[in-house]
Amino acid sequence: MAAPRERILLVHVVLHGEADPDAGAEFFHLATDSGADVLELLSVQRGRPDPATFLGRGKVAELAERVAALSVDLVLFDRVLSPVQERNLEGALHCRVVDRVGLILDIFARRARTHEGKLQVELAQLTRLRTRLIRGWTHLERQRGGIGLRGPGETQLETDRRLIGERILSLRGRLIKVAAHRATQRRARQRAPLPTVALVGYTNAGKSSLFNTLTKSSSYAADRLFATLDPAIRRLQIGGHEAILLADTVGFLRDLPTDLIAAFRATLEEVNQAQLLLHVVDGSAPDRDAQIAAVDEVLKEIGAENIPRLLVLNKVDITGDVPGNVYESSGKLAAVRVSARSGVGIPELLQAVTQRVGRSMLRADLTLMPEEGALRARIHCLASVIDEHFDEQGRTHLTFDIDDLNWRRLHTQMRDSGCQAMDAPPTIPADG
């Protein structure tokens, strides 16, 4: 039998002078994605936060009456609350209180599918819980007592804090190993001369849908916040001969918890290693500019603000805008309008990507003598080897794709070393 769904009341707080582009719509979607019954969304105007309850005594009393009338199980605040504020609100409202960060962490915990994703979410949750143990849970400050529980004087708070600290150290160690494994995979990809293009953007902007449309793959995509947390990388052929590596990454959000960004730093390394970022934007979002600014802020925080970017305005099937290129007054390409769902605008996007990172790819067939092992290693480093086999005389027969720049480098090395492979068949455009 399924457990009863929690009855939730939402509190959306707007401080004096702050912009409120979506009137709590994003917060409402976050709450509904948590799998609970949202009873009501209350918007509250405040001049400044109250140190004890964030809202002030009068507003808390009004909220308590509403909580009792609706039989609310949980109150969610669209703000970051201190441990003391959470504790005071729970005492006044007589129900659980969770802030925006706690809600986001809960959603991430539900969405995490891979081992790495689960480790990252647990690390962020425990890092946050440790501060709440220290500041908020005063009932744990008493020493343990009772038969079989008397110890050397360590309080329950100290015990819990120590156990959480040990678990955090263990998780960080395991994530370091995962990061090392991911770095090894990245180095293997970098041996082939294929540029990496990473999709970044606000959550639910349509990154995974665009990824599936471009690569003709079936990565999970849904009309929900944080539908995917784990990166996916596919090889993408452009124009029948150009190839890139396309990476899909976790979506961003306004006020994304710092602990969560730190936990997902290994995953976001795919962004830092890219030659081009495709910043996917939901063109139909009323707060589109605010979402763009939020993504820019996260990119700055992870050190990716200087990587070249191309704006991709998605969902023209909803906005009714004309698909294709958008130019600045100077004639420079500003953005590309597309629809990941219908596919319109995709040819223009691929052309723009090719112009930004594309290099002419060549396919070569070479035969190397047994003593030319150094050249064979160099080919594996610079090119993407399609086929390799050895004959009875110990010669190596290679078929590989290589971009024109690295082919010139390899050709120079072969010429300088007097390589017999100079008599190999001429290179031809790689046909993928």
Side-chain angles (χ1 to χ4, degrees), residues 76 78 96 117 144 179 253-254 265 279 325 383 390 394:
L76 290 177
D78 192 16
R96 290 177 56 232
R144 293 174 297 174
L253 192 71
R254 282 196 300 271
R265 191 169 296 277
H279 183 171
N325 296 336
F390 305 90

Side-chain angles (χ1 to χ4, degrees), residues 109-179:
R110 292 170 182 265
R111 300 286 191 269
R113 290 180 175 83
T114 65
H115 175 64
E116 179 185 4
K118 292 176 181 178
L119 290 177
Q120 290 165 330
V121 172
E122 184 181 356
L123 176 60
Q125 288 176 321
L126 290 178
T127 303
R128 170 179 164 81
L129 177 60
R130 182 168 57 178
T131 63
R132 267 138 173 80
L133 279 176
I134 295 173
R135 297 181 181 179
W137 292 16
T138 56
H139 66 283
L140 295 177
E141 292 177 358
R142 62 179 180 270
Q143 290 186 355
R144 293 174 297 174
I147 298 174
L149 295 177
R150 294 185 179 90
E154 185 177 43
T155 66
Q156 185 65 48
L157 176 61
E158 291 168 338
T159 301
D160 290 348
R161 189 192 312 168
R162 174 172 52 80
L163 292 175
I164 289 177
E166 291 173 356
R167 179 62 177 169
I168 287 175
L169 289 176
S170 173
L171 289 172
R172 285 175 176 166
R174 293 163 70 180
L175 281 172
I176 288 174
K177 294 180 181 179
V178 172

Side-chain angles (χ1 to χ4, degrees), residues 121-351:
V121 172
E122 184 181 356
L123 176 60
Q125 288 176 321
L126 290 178
T127 303
R128 170 179 164 81
L129 177 60
R130 182 168 57 178
T131 63
R132 267 138 173 80
L133 279 176
I134 295 173
R135 297 181 181 179
W137 292 16
T138 56
H139 66 283
L140 295 177
E141 292 177 358
R142 62 179 180 270
Q143 290 186 355
R144 293 174 297 174
I147 298 174
L149 295 177
R150 294 185 179 90
E154 185 177 43
T155 66
Q156 185 65 48
L157 176 61
E158 291 168 338
T159 301
D160 290 348
R161 189 192 312 168
R162 174 172 52 80
L163 292 175
I164 289 177
E166 291 173 356
R167 179 62 177 169
I168 287 175
L169 289 176
S170 173
L171 289 172
R172 285 175 176 166
R174 293 163 70 180
L175 281 172
I176 288 174
K177 294 180 181 179
V178 172
H181 177 65
R182 189 180 294 280
T184 301
Q185 292 177 323
R186 190 180 300 116
R187 285 194 297 270
R189 294 197 303 269
Q190 289 172 345
R191 292 193 186 102
L194 300 180
T196 299
V197 177
L199 297 173
V200 299
Y202 210 75
T203 183
N204 208 30
K207 297 187 311 304
S208 295
S209 296
L210 182 61
F211 180 82
N212 289 339
T213 298
L214 291 173
T215 62
K216 296 180 175 58
S217 59
S218 56
S219 296
Y220 180 73
D223 185 17
R224 62 196 310 188
L225 302 176
F226 302 116
T228 54
L229 297 182
D230 305 299
I233 300 175
R234 300 287 187 274
R235 179 180 173 128
L236 173 62
Q237 297 290 148
I238 304 178
H241 63 277
E242 199 73 32
I244 64 171
L245 294 176
L246 188 66
D248 186 18
T249 60
V250 63
F252 299 156
L253 192 71
R254 282 196 300 271
D255 302 322
L256 199 63
T258 303
D259 293 336
L260 200 57
I261 295 176
F264 276 78
R265 191 169 296 277
T267 299
L268 295 174
E269 277 300 309
E270 301 297 342
V271 174
N272 282 319
Q273 298 298 324
Q275 284 74 51
L276 175 67
L277 302 181
L278 296 184
H279 183 171
V280 184
V281 178
D282 181 356
S284 65
D287 57 339
R288 185 179 71 182
D289 293 340
Q291 292 185 5
I292 293 175
V295 172
D296 290 341
E297 184 64 29
V298 176
L299 290 175
K300 182 178 180 181
E301 189 166 345
I302 65 175
E305 70 273 19
N306 294 324
I307 299 177
R309 258 172 275 178
L310 175 61
L311 202 63
V312 181
L313 301 177
N314 191 23
K315 305 186 182 181
V316 295
D317 52 319
I318 297 176
T319 64
D321 294 328
V322 178
N325 296 336
V326 180
Y327 295 94
E328 299 176 356
S329 57
S330 61
K332 180 182 177 181
L333 180 64
V336 182
R337 294 195 187 104
V338 305
S339 170
R341 178 177 297 176
S342 67
V344 296
I346 297 299
E348 290 85 353
L349 175 61
L350 292 176
Q351 183 180 16

Side-chain angles (χ1 to χ4, degrees), residues 13-19 44-49 54 79:
V13 185
V14 181
L15 299 179
H16 180 69
E18 285 186 341
V44 179
Q45 298 284 338
R46 288 285 300 174
R48 59 185 177 84
F54 203 97
R79 286 286 173 173

Side-chain angles (χ1 to χ4, degrees), residues 47-62:
R48 59 185 177 84
D50 181 84
T53 61
F54 203 97
L55 294 181
R57 187 176 302 174
K59 285 294 183 182
V60 170
E62 293 178 13

